[in-house]
Amino acid sequence: MEYMNTAPTSPDPGEPRWLTDEEQRVWRAYIDATTLLEDHLDRQLQRDAGMPHVYYGLLVKLAEAPERRLRMTELAMSAKITRSRLSHAVARLEKSGWVRRADCPSDKRGQFAVLTDEGMEVLSRHAPGHVEAVRQAVFGRLTPEQQKSLGEIMRIVAEGLQPSEAGADLPWLR
Amino acid sequence: MEYMNTAPTSPDPGEPRWLTDEEQRVWRAYIDATTLLEDHLDRQLQRDAGMPHVYYGLLVKLAEAPERRLRMTELAMSAKITRSRLSHAVARLEKSGWVRRADCPSDKRGQFAVLTDEGMEVLSRHAPGHVEAVRQAVFGRLTPEQQKSLGEIMRIVAEGLQPSEAGADLPWLR
DNA sequence: ACGAGTTATTTGAACTCTCAACTTCCATCG
DNA sequence: CGATGGAAGTTGAGAGTTCAAATAACTCGT
């Protein structure tokens, strides 16, 4: 896609504002890194713990929650995934014995996802390996300044995509 | 997962080196941002162009290649995905009429993925919307310094996970 | 108490991805 | 040449994800 960006003109709906060469390089680096990293972590966890990275993340969220339990919707929002996806995921984790569902007394529609002892056990057993993988792939390679910068940048991007509170599924508006 | 990291001791295989609080915050921001962004782009492209983001990326790579064609393995490596995944993806893109396969004359095992005119057409038709989405979610929110920093960081991470050249599937060794 | 309009969650089908074979062909070496 | 090992690409089954639709229960206003 070679398009020249000759004139720094004002918003022209006719000709879109393409990415500059430098922006393209950044964007491609982003895509490469995230693709590789996601794959890397998925494999590591699938091999060692028998679950993909997202599922591991769900167990972590539950482990940190009071009484190791969260309402489905809260868990979904916290993990940034849709309720549907979570529903399927929990079904699988339930089959593995790492999570169980519990009814919500105050709202009969509601369900809690509860981390079982087995689930907790799997988590502690594989946390070291996972942390090691993350450190090796990311933190072990970045300077403290870069780490700080990465945090700031990712927070900005994440906030830009969140319905910033509000509760629907994931209708990032627009 | 509350573990205190009291002593900055030397490599102790007994107690793993957990992430510090600050590292955790960075890591979570990373997960949130990448999850949200991937989802956002997937939806945008699925809705507008009828394909997931990865597939769109494949078309872009082909569009940039000489004669709009690449060997399957090269394309897979370039997109950082496995050959198997690519094989399925190309099968689907072929069904949509955006890519076709061509035999390689010099190596009878080889296959080219070739971008069709239709494929090119879809690409140009939806590139503006995609670029706009990327700009809105990422570049539009970051300072020039942050963009530069992001590029450097992502390059480092990507390189750390690449078999750094070499040609196998994706056995990033260890 | 009734019904309209939400909210919580699930479901199933279609699609995508992974993993482990499997097929075919190339290359090298004796 | 013929065998052996590697490389290119595909395949099918199982697992995960998406999307739209369905179910059930809550909330209000009247």
Side-chain angles (χ1 to χ4, degrees):
Chain A
M1 314 284 282
E2 28 351 63
Y3 285 91
M4 45 207 80
N5 224 352
T6 40
T9 50
S10 49
D12 170 6
E15 190 65 9
R17 187 155 156 250
W18 301 106
L19 297 186
T20 65
D21 281 4
E22 179 50 19
E23 285 169 334
Q24 285 221 21
R25 277 192 289 278
V26 173
W27 183 239
R28 285 170 198 233
Y30 173 89
I31 296 296
D32 287 358
T34 54
T35 306
L36 288 166
L37 187 47
E38 193 190 1
D39 238 69
H40 184 61
L41 296 181
D42 265 348
R43 266 176 228 275
Q44 190 263 317
L45 280 169
Q46 189 71 60
R47 168 168 52 72
D48 298 348
M51 73 187 115
H53 184 220
V54 195
Y55 288 24
Y56 180 90
L58 295 175
L59 299 192
V60 171
K61 302 263 184 203
L62 289 177
E64 292 170 344
E67 305 198 54
R68 293 182 185 171
R69 64 175 53 208
L70 282 173
R71 286 287 294 272
M72 295 297 281
T73 296
E74 292 180 56
L75 182 49
M77 294 205 306
S78 161
K80 271 75 191 173
I81 65 179
T82 62
R83 296 166 180 192
S84 172
R85 185 174 177 183
L86 178 64
S87 212
H88 289 296
V90 167
R92 193 282 214 184
L93 290 170
E94 210 168 15
K95 233 174 268 178
S96 302
W98 300 330
V99 167
R100 65 184 173 76
R101 292 179 208 249
D103 293 336
C104 175
S106 65
D107 185 338
K108 280 169 198 160
R109 297 166 303 177
Q111 287 278 100
F112 282 102
V114 188
L115 185 64
T116 64
D117 289 347
E118 280 187 76
M120 193 65 202
E121 213 273 308
V122 182
L123 205 49
S124 3
R125 184 142 38 91
H126 297 292
H130 176 58
V131 170
E132 176 51 32
V134 172
R135 191 175 285 296
Q136 196 213 268
V138 181
F139 294 102
R141 301 180 183 275
L142 303 178
T143 67
E145 293 74 37
Q146 288 175 322
Q147 296 182 18
K148 187 179 167 208
S149 192
L150 180 60
E152 289 165 1
I153 293 167
M154 291 297 134
R155 260 183 290 280
I156 290 172
V157 172
E159 282 182 12
L161 291 167
Q162 302 247 43
S164 63
E165 297 314 312
D169 210 12
L170 280 178
W172 328 245
L173 324 175
R174 45 153 359 221
Chain B
M1 314 283 281
E2 34 341 72
Y3 285 91
M4 45 206 82
N5 225 350
T6 40
T9 50
S10 47
D12 172 7
E15 191 65 9
R17 187 154 155 251
W18 301 106
L19 296 186
T20 65
D21 281 3
E22 178 51 19
E23 284 169 334
Q24 285 221 21
R25 276 191 289 277
V26 174
W27 182 237
R28 285 170 198 231
Y30 174 89
I31 296 296
D32 287 358
T34 54
T35 305
L36 288 166
L37 187 48
E38 193 190 2
D39 238 68
H40 183 63
L41 297 181
D42 264 348
R43 267 176 228 272
Q44 190 264 317
L45 281 170
Q46 189 72 59
R47 167 168 54 72
D48 297 350
M51 72 187 114
H53 184 220
V54 195
Y55 289 24
Y56 180 89
L58 296 175
L59 299 192
V60 171
K61 302 262 183 202
L62 290 176
E64 292 170 346
E67 308 197 52
R68 293 183 186 170
R69 63 176 54 208
L70 281 173
R71 286 287 295 271
M72 295 297 282
T73 297
E74 292 179 58
L75 181 49
M77 293 204 306
S78 161
K80 271 76 190 173
I81 64 178
T82 63
R83 297 168 181 189
S84 173
R85 185 174 176 183
L86 179 63
S87 214
H88 289 297
V90 167
R92 193 282 214 183
L93 290 170
E94 210 167 16
K95 234 173 268 177
S96 302
W98 301 330
V99 167
R100 66 184 173 75
R101 292 179 209 249
D103 292 337
C104 174
S106 64
D107 185 339
K108 281 170 198 160
R109 296 167 302 178
Q111 287 278 99
F112 282 102
V114 188
L115 186 64
T116 64
D117 289 346
E118 279 187 78
M120 193 65 202
E121 213 273 308
V122 183
L123 205 48
S124 1
R125 184 144 37 92
H126 297 292
H130 177 58
V131 171
E132 177 51 31
V134 172
R135 191 176 285 295
Q136 195 213 270
V138 181
F139 294 103
R141 301 180 184 276
L142 302 178
T143 68
E145 293 72 39
Q146 287 175 322
Q147 296 183 19
K148 188 179 166 206
S149 192
L150 180 61
E152 289 165 0
I153 292 168
M154 290 298 133
R155 260 184 289 282
I156 291 172
V157 172
E159 280 181 15
L161 291 167
Q162 303 247 39
S164 64
E165 299 311 315
D169 211 10
L170 280 179
W172 330 246
L173 325 175
R174 42 155 1 217

